[in-house]
């Protein structure tokens, strides 16, 4: 295999968690990396993240952890996990028929695994600090991508010395930009070998990519807005006001309120509700908000948030929309690729937005390695076209799962000596797009569906029945390969599309079993003889056995 000695120049657009991890993967492999960020240094407390007024807590799960684990930076994962709070269950809050308040804890996983509440700014800081320590990485903050020519691998950036805050038009506390801030500054021309766009849902990289690639693009704003709230620590002893090891949910029929713990012993909270509900509450929040919360989110106000604070936070914090974006392809030739929200923004109801974006990076570089783009990382033999990523059982022990090669096309990767570096890169990016698109589309759909589950199904007897059955089979009959969809998504690295297929198969099988049991009981009730009932039951067992064998 012929080794490529020339360094590659990689330009990363966006210095958020996904862009920072992409820069780490490239820098560890020896590339010269330049990171361009529209905002100021995200480690500076005065830099307000786009679309957020203060900070937002995120749910970090196995996919994100696994992707950072393979970044090649010692102690990165350990340092990040030290600054997280494990959440092992949902806590469902409500009011009983007699008016009493109740809490119902629903474990995420029968094996006790947890997702982790992490501060976005803290996570970002750890990643950026790791990058800053590398000699082949350069930051360019306050730089806006204004143009790109992906046929000639050239991009243009405008340097804004004092970037204005432009969180969202619906933010009532947003200051107006001064005339000086509207003036265009001279542009900087940058040449690159590969541009990685990780600049969020309203991606400039994607916008310019679509001028070159024939991108199929779909976006949907769901009829739900969100507003951030804050539950402070207890005044008496500065302790957590509610359990810190739960993600707290106050479900409603068409809305919900959630609370995620923070290291300062407060909770970052979010109200999700239809735009009509926000409009109604906004007309007179002083009089409408307290009774609304008392009716639908019992125990919150004034017990956890005082009435004045509730009204003030609702009035001052922006009411922001939720967008779901799907597109494909994610690349153009050997020049550019988009990852994270730039490629597949999703609603936050599965807690997978950031995790999926971090996983994008790992999967992308798996393909680059497998196609010999980085010779020192290339596999000794071509990857199998039938290979799938590690299953959810790999992470049960908490140790890093083995890194299999990704599923590629049926044509084996050619040796580097027979293909130029740019051809290798183009082939790898095309394979990445083909592989990742169905998974990204799947988790987008699952996130939308999980909103229904979180706001109403978590109290449904049918939902609880299936959850208990699947957890029972998962715990006591592991050889069946049974698991809940949530466990596969949040505690494993199996492809999202494979998770969905398996979950649908399990649902079909459970419905068949329930129908069969009901049939046996029914015929018994109408007086069918024991021999006939046994014949029917044998038939049910046979069908179930066939489904299990075929499913496995």
């Amino acid at each position: 295999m012929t080794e490529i000695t020339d360094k590659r120049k990689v330009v990363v657009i966006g210095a958020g968690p996904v862009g920072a991890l992409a820069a780490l993967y490239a820098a560890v492999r020896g590339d010269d990396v330049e990171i361009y960020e529209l905002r100021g240094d995200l480690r500076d407390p005065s830099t307000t993240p786009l679309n957020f007024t203060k900070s937002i807590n995120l749910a970090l799960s196995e996919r994100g952890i696994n992707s950072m684990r393979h970044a090649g930076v010692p102690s990165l994962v350990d340092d990040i996990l030290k600054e997280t709070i494990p959440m092992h269950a949902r806590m469902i809050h409500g009011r009983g028929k007699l008016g009493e308040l109740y809490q119902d804890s629903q474990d995420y996983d029968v094996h006790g695994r947890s997702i982790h509440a992490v501060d976005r700014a803290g996570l970002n800081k750890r990643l950026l600090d790791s990058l800053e320590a590398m000699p082949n990485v350069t930051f360019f903050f306050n730089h806006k991508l204004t143009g790109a020519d992906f046929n000639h691998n050239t991009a243009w950036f405008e340097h804004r010395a004092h970037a204005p805050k432009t969180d969202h038009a619906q933010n009532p506390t947003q200051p107006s930009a001064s005339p000086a801030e509207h003036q265009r500054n001279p542009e900087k021309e940058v040449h690159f070998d590969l541009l990685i766009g990780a600049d969020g849902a309203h991606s400039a990289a994607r916008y310019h990519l679509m001028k070159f690639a024939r991108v199929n693009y779909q976006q949907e704003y769901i009829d739900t807005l969100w507003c951030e709230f804050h539950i402070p620590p207890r005044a008496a002893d500065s302790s957590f006001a509610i359990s810190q090891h739960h993600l707290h949910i106050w479900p409603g029929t068409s809305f919900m309120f959630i609370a995620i713990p923070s290291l300062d012993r407060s909770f970052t909270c979010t109200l999700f509700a239809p735009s009509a509900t926000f409009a109604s509450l906004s007309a007179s929040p002083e009089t409408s908000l307290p009774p609304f919360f008392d009716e639908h989110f019992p125990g919150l106000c004034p017990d956890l948030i005082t009435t004045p604070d509730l009204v003030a936070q609702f009035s001052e914090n922006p009411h922001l929309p939720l967008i779901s974006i799907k597109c494909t392809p994610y690349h153009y030739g050997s020049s550019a690729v988009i990852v994270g929200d730039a490629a597949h923004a999703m609603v936050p109801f599965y807690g997978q937005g950031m995790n999926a974006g971090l996983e994008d990076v790992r999967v992308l570089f798996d393909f680059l390695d497998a196609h010999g783009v980085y010779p020192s990382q290339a596999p000794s033999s071509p990857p199998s076209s039938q290979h799938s990523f590690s299953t959810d059982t790999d992470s049960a022990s908490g140790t890093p799962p083995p890194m299999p090669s990704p599923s590629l096309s049926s044509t084996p990767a050619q040796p580097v000596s027979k293909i130029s570096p740019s051809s290798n890169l183009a082939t790898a990016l095309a394979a990445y797009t083909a592989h990742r698109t169905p998974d990204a589309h799947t988790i987008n759909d699952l996130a939308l569906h999980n909103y229904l589950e979180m706001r109403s199904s978590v109290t449904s007897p049918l939902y609880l029945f299936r959850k208990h059955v699947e957890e029972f089979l998962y715990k006591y009959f592991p050889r069946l390969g049974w698991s809940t969809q949530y466990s596969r998504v949040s505690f494993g690295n199996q492809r999202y599309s494979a998770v969905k297929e398996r979950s649908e198969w399990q649902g079909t099988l459970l419905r068949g079993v329930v129908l069969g049991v009901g049939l046996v009981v029914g015929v018994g009730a109408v007086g069918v003889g024991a021999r006939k009932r046994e014949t029917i039951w044998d038939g049910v067992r046979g069908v179930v056995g066939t489904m299990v064998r075929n499913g496995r």
Side-chain angles (χ1 to χ4, degrees), residues 107-415:
D107 288 345
Y108 283 126
D109 180 68
V110 292
H111 295 296
R113 292 175 291 186
S114 303
I115 59 176
H116 300 264
V118 60
D119 175 66
R120 179 189 180 95
L123 171 63
N124 220 155
K125 182 180 184 303
R126 286 288 181 182
L127 292 169
L128 294 179
D129 286 347
S130 296
L131 284 166
E132 193 168 51
M134 306 184 76
N136 54 331
V137 176
T138 307
F139 291 104
F140 294 91
F141 294 108
N142 295 312
H143 277 70
K144 178 182 179 181
L145 176 66
T146 57
D149 181 349
F150 292 122
N151 285 328
H152 297 91
N153 290 31
T154 306
W156 292 269
F157 297 88
E158 177 191 358
H159 181 207
R160 297 180 168 188
H162 302 287
K165 295 180 180 179
T166 54
D167 293 347
H168 200 275
Q170 290 177 276
N171 188 345
T173 62
Q174 196 61 237
S176 299
S178 65
E181 290 173 332
H182 287 297
Q183 294 178 357
R184 291 291 299 272
N185 296 317
E187 291 184 337
K188 172 183 178 180
E189 184 174 287
V190 176
H191 298 277
F192 56 84
D193 294 300
L194 174 64
L195 183 145
I196 301 177
D199 49 340
H202 304 286
S203 167
R206 184 185 66 235
Y207 171 77
H208 294 293
L209 178 72
M210 293 173 73
K211 298 176 183 177
F212 292 83
R214 292 177 293 181
V215 177
N216 293 315
Y217 176 83
Q218 172 190 334
Q219 76 172 38
E220 176 186 2
Y221 282 99
I222 67 172
D223 185 26
T224 298
L225 301 179
W226 67 273
C227 179
E228 183 182 282
F229 290 82
H230 179 77
I231 295 177
R234 287 193 179 99
D237 56 5
S238 298
S239 63
F240 285 98
I242 47 181
S243 168
Q244 72 269 34
H245 295 301
H246 287 80
L247 189 154
H248 296 263
I249 302 176
W250 283 259
T253 305
S254 59
F255 33 72
M256 70 175 178
F257 190 93
I258 68 170
I260 299 178
S262 301
L263 290 175
D264 64 0
R265 300 182 181 180
S266 68
F267 283 81
T268 300
C269 311
T270 311
L271 168 65
F272 297 98
S275 56
T277 301
F278 270 92
S280 176
L281 295 173
S282 298
S284 180
E286 294 84 0
T287 58
S288 61
L289 203 61
F292 175 82
F293 266 70
D294 181 62
E295 178 182 357
H296 299 290
F297 312 129
L300 262 172
C301 179
D303 299 349
L304 302 177
I305 307 176
T306 66
T307 300
D309 283 348
L310 183 75
V311 173
Q313 292 176 42
F314 180 83
S315 301
E316 295 173 5
N317 291 342
H319 306 160
L320 299 172
L322 293 170
I323 191 171
S324 178
I325 291 175
K326 297 178 181 178
C327 70
T328 194
Y330 300 140
H331 75 289
Y332 178 72
S334 62
S335 302
V337 63
I338 53 176
V339 292
D341 283 355
H344 48 72
M346 66 191 72
V347 294
F349 304 118
Y350 224 121
Q352 285 295 301
M354 179 187 68
N355 291 287
L358 297 176
E359 188 178 58
D360 284 349
V361 175
R362 179 181 67 80
V363 175
L364 170 63
F365 279 85
D366 279 350
F367 275 92
L368 298 179
D369 293 342
H371 280 83
V373 174
Y374 297 100
S376 62
Q377 304 285 333
S380 57
S381 59
S384 168
S385 63
Q386 302 301 317
H387 196 89
S388 61
F389 282 94
S390 54
T391 65
D392 58 311
T393 56
D394 291 332
S395 59
S397 64
T399 57
M403 282 300 298
S405 300
S407 172
L408 308 177
S409 64
S410 57
T411 303
Q414 299 296 320

